[in-house]
């Protein structure tokens, strides 16, 4: 299967593809890599590796979402090095669908408590806050709000820390689906 090949640690394919998230010359490459990354983030067994120093995926996902904003020094120091002091000419990813895939990738990485804590510790919230302030696409705004809610919420009770393993009652799932579809209707 393709995902297994890309995630094979010995082949280092995933690491070689990540820089294409910033390929300003080709929206097709950026979109393809964002889609591939999102797909790979569904595989929870690799989350620790993806967030490790070996891959360090978080700055790769956040950099296209970051803008030229300046932050307080203590906030800046908590950000990954690649996101500090970006300069006034820094622009965000122009394509809404790519921004959504990047946000959804981070959301997938938040499925386990230890990974949410790691993502929170890297001051991800301030990048998302500024993205949210500037965002004009309603779908991106909604996805950003969902991720922010996940990051600022209290941690779930013991036994429910892994969000991929929480079962949702069918009636609540139907209600949430109805709310989502009513939000997406113009």
């Amino acid at each position: 299967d393709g995902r297994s090949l890309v995630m094979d640690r010995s082949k280092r394919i995933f690491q070689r593809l990540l820089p294409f998230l910033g390929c300003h010359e080709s929206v097709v490459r950026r979109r393809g890599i964002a889609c591939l990354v999102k797909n790979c983030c569904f595989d929870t067994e690799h989350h620790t590796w993806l967030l490790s120093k070996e891959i360090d995926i978080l700055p790769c996902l956040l950099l296209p979402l970051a803008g030229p904003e300046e932050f307080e020094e203590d906030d800046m120091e908590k950000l990954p090095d690649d996101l500090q002091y970006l300069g006034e000419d820094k622009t965000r990813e122009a394509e809404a669908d790519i921004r959504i895939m990047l946000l959804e990738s981070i959301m997938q990485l938040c499925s386990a408590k230890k990974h949410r804590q790691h993502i929170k510790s890297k001051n991800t919230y301030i990048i998302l806050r500024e993205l949210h302030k500037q965002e004009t696409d309603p779908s991106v705004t909604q996805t950003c709000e969902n991720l922010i809610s996940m990051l600022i919420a209290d941690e779930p009770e013991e036994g429910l820390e892994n969000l991929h393993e929480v079962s949702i009652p069918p009636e609540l799932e139907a209600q949430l689906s109805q709310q989502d579809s009513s939000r997406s209707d113009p």
Side-chain angles (χ1 to χ4, degrees), residues 3-4 7-9 40-52 55 109 115:
R3 182 170 34 192
S4 297
M7 298 304 282
D8 184 332
R9 296 174 191 202
C40 290
C41 286
F42 279 103
D43 201 345
T44 58
E45 74 179 66
H46 294 292
H47 285 183
T48 300
W49 178 62
L50 291 173
L51 290 167
S52 72
I55 302 296
L109 293 168
H115 300 132

Side-chain angles (χ1 to χ4, degrees), residues 23-37:
C23 180
H24 298 292
E25 301 81 36
S26 175
V27 69
V28 173
R29 278 193 190 140
R30 290 195 319 273
R31 185 174 287 117
I33 297 302
C35 187
L36 175 112
V37 167

Side-chain angles (χ1 to χ4, degrees), residues 119-164:
I119 290 167
K120 288 176 185 182
S121 76
K122 297 299 182 179
N123 219 4
T124 299
Y125 170 74
I126 66 169
I127 299 294
L128 299 176
R129 179 190 67 203
E130 296 305 316
L131 169 66
H132 187 266
K133 285 181 187 176
Q134 304 297 320
E135 189 55 59
T136 57
D137 185 283
S139 297
V140 178
T141 299
Q142 184 62 53
T143 306
C144 188
E145 288 172 0
N146 292 344
L147 178 53
I148 288 171
S149 294
M150 187 180 286
L151 292 174
I152 65 173
D154 292 335
E155 283 297 324
E157 61 188 71
E158 191 173 326
L160 300 175
E161 296 96 345
N162 188 332
L163 301 178
H164 280 287

Side-chain angles (χ1 to χ4, degrees), residues 60-74:
C60 299
L61 297 172
L62 288 173
L63 189 60
L65 301 173
E69 296 82 18
E70 291 186 26
F71 300 109
E72 298 289 326
E73 193 66 31
D74 57 329

